[in-house]
């Protein structure tokens, strides 16, 4: 449904934030997982037509997104990472105002839209309160409500769960899950569980490149037999780092559990671990750090 081909973005200061990103995003929930600085927000803004890529093509259905950004905008709902609009107006009035901006002209239709969205996002009870006084979770739910105005076919949410407490996060993810299977929802996050809980398809973005793409369950299945775990003391960690390829370390009850990658039994007290999406993610990141850039990040020549 959404297809990116060789999308590259180089900022004016020479930062190559996206490097030949080719990605096919089908209908349903798609997880874009990556660490800070991976290029997630750059990718989201580019697809949302807020910036034009240096190179590459983007299609949504039969729309050429770069040639016809306004055609995409009519079908787009976007919740940016920094949705910095927390005005002292009520949630109801703000949604109504945004519906006007989105072209919902009839007052009756707007009333229905706004009321449905407030109920859907569980904000009905606080509809008359100023958004400025909302909690983080309420703000994000408001952010989804405004993104859903006008029944978008493409919904982009950029790191929506960062900073939410576990209960708010759950509520938010459930809301996303309800949005439906007939639209494309791209969720960017650095939190592995957001993807494993919610997304039938995913990609890992790191250093501006797609490092891995697929269905979480298939990707997990591929690590089977390759992930080994051992509980060690803190003082043993440095030595283990020299001997093994550690993909993750986790503290548990004052001890450290390490996961390593090994195609056969490493012995030395390691036991086979049931690999999870975290192992997939961390081993992908470890590999992406080892493989140097195919071309050096260009330094800018000021025009
Ligand atoms: N406006 C900008 N000008 C220059 N560099 C930028 C700009 N925005 C982002 N970057 C850089 O591009 C890279 C990717 O950033 P970003 O897309 O925000 O990643 P993410 O959302 O995954 O954290 C980072 O190195 C960041 O510093
Ligand atoms: Mg970001």
């Amino acid at each position: 449904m959404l297809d990116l081909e060789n999308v590259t973005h180089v900022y004016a200061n020479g930062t190559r934030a996206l490097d030949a990103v080719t990605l096919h995003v089908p209908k349903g929930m798609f997880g874009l997982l990556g660490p800070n600085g991976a290029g997630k927000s750059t990718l989201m803004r580019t697809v949302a037509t807020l910036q034009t890529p240096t190179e590459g093509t983007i299609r949504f259905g039969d729309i050429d997104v770069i040639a016809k950004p306004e055609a995409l905008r009519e079908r787009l709902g976007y919740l940016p990472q920094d949705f910095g609009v927390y005005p002292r107006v009520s949630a109801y009035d703000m949604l109504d105002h945004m519906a006007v901006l989105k072209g919902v002209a009839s007052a009756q239709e707007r009333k229905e839209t706004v009321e449905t969205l407030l109920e859907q996002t569980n904000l009905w009870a606080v509809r008359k309160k100023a958004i400025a006084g909302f909690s983080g979770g309420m703000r994000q739910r408001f952010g989804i409500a405004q993104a859903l105005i006008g029944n978008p076919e493409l919904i982009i949410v950029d790191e929506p769960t960062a900073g939410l407490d576990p209960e708010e996060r759950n509520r938010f993810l459930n809301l996303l899950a309800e949005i439906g299977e007939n639209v494309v929802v791209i969720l960017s996050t650095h939190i592995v569980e957001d993807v494993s809980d919610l997304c039938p398809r995913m990609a890992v973005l790191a250093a501006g490149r797609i490092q891995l793409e697929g269905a979480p369950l298939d990707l997990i299945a591929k690590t089977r037999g390759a992930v080994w775990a051992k509980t060690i003391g803190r003082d043993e960690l440095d030595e283990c780092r020299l001997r093994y390829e550690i993909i993750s370390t986790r503290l548990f009850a004052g001890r450290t559990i390490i996961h390593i990658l090994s195609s056969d039994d490493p012995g030395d007290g390691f036991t086979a671990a049931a690999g999870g999406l975290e192992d997939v993610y961390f081993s992908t990141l470890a590999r992406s750090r080892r493989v140097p850039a195919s071309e050096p990040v260009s330094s800018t020549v000021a025009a």
Side-chain angles (χ1 to χ4, degrees):
M1 189 78 200
L2 175 71
D3 284 287
L4 287 83
E5 222 177 293
N6 280 314
V7 173
T8 291
H9 193 85
V10 183
Y11 283 108
N13 66 1
T15 304
R16 187 173 286 263
L18 296 176
D19 190 2
V21 167
T22 294
L23 195 61
H24 170 69
V25 183
K27 282 183 180 170
M29 194 78 77
F30 188 91
L32 184 71
L33 182 61
N36 278 340
K40 300 183 296 300
S41 294
T42 301
L43 187 63
M44 305 302 234
R45 284 195 300 266
T46 304
V47 174
T49 74
L50 297 178
Q51 56 191 57
T52 309
T54 316
E55 275 174 64
T57 58
I58 305 174
R59 299 193 69 83
F60 181 64
D62 49 20
I63 302 170
D64 178 336
V65 173
I66 296 167
K68 293 219 158 41
E70 63 292 341
L72 183 92
R73 278 176 217 145
E74 285 170 11
R75 293 166 177 80
L76 173 74
Y78 175 45
L79 174 56
Q81 181 168 2
D82 300 303
F83 181 63
V85 193
Y86 307 121
R88 297 191 172 280
V89 260
S90 74
Y92 192 106
D93 290 347
M94 187 68 188
L95 266 190
D96 186 70
H97 173 68
M98 294 176 105
V100 173
L101 295 182
K102 228 166 174 185
V104 188
S106 124
Q108 181 57 31
E109 195 187 331
R110 238 174 21 247
K111 182 171 184 288
E112 281 163 19
T113 301
V114 168
E115 292 186 354
T116 306
L117 289 173
L118 286 168
E119 272 169 20
Q120 191 180 351
T121 54
N122 218 342
L123 292 171
W124 180 254
V126 293
R127 68 191 180 282
K128 292 177 184 159
K129 298 219 161 100
I131 300 166
F134 278 10
S135 71
M138 288 156 76
R139 285 178 181 188
Q140 289 302 64
R141 279 184 278 129
F142 179 82
I144 279 293
Q146 64 79 30
L148 291 176
I149 295 170
N151 300 316
E153 295 160 42
L154 173 62
I155 297 169
I156 296 178
V157 284
D158 194 1
E159 299 238 21
T161 59
L164 298 189
D165 70 32
E167 195 190 340
E168 286 178 325
R169 177 178 162 271
N170 244 337
R171 194 186 267 214
F172 185 85
L173 293 181
N174 281 327
L175 176 60
L176 271 191
E178 280 166 15
I179 288 175
E181 284 144 19
N182 280 322
V183 295
V184 177
V185 182
I186 309 177
L187 163 77
S188 94
T189 183
H190 64 272
I191 303 168
V192 176
E193 290 82 26
D194 284 351
V195 173
S196 46
D197 291 355
L198 211 59
C199 302
R201 307 271 320 164
M202 66 170 289
V204 173
L205 183 71
R209 279 183 226 110
I210 300 294
Q211 311 283 348
L212 189 74
E213 188 187 351
L217 290 177
D218 293 343
L219 299 172
I220 291 169
K222 279 189 196 148
T223 67
R224 193 153 299 146
V227 182
W228 302 81
K230 186 183 180 183
T231 304
I232 60 171
R234 247 173 214 285
D235 49 334
E236 294 168 83
L237 188 57
D238 285 342
E239 195 206 326
C240 283
R241 279 198 200 285
L242 293 177
R243 293 177 60 184
Y244 300 108
E245 183 177 20
I246 296 184
I247 52 174
S248 68
T249 65
R250 178 184 305 175
L251 285 174
F252 182 74
R255 307 262 294 164
T256 302
I257 301 173
I258 60 173
H259 279 188
I260 68 165
L261 278 184
S262 174
S263 49
D264 38 44
D265 189 344
D268 194 21
F270 280 93
T271 54
L277 200 56
E278 287 211 330
D279 295 304
V280 172
Y281 179 51
F282 290 121
S283 59
T284 303
L285 291 187
R287 201 178 322 119
S288 77
R289 280 190 293 264
R290 272 203 313 274
V291 178
S294 54
E295 48 182 316
V297 173
S298 61
S299 55
T300 14
V301 182

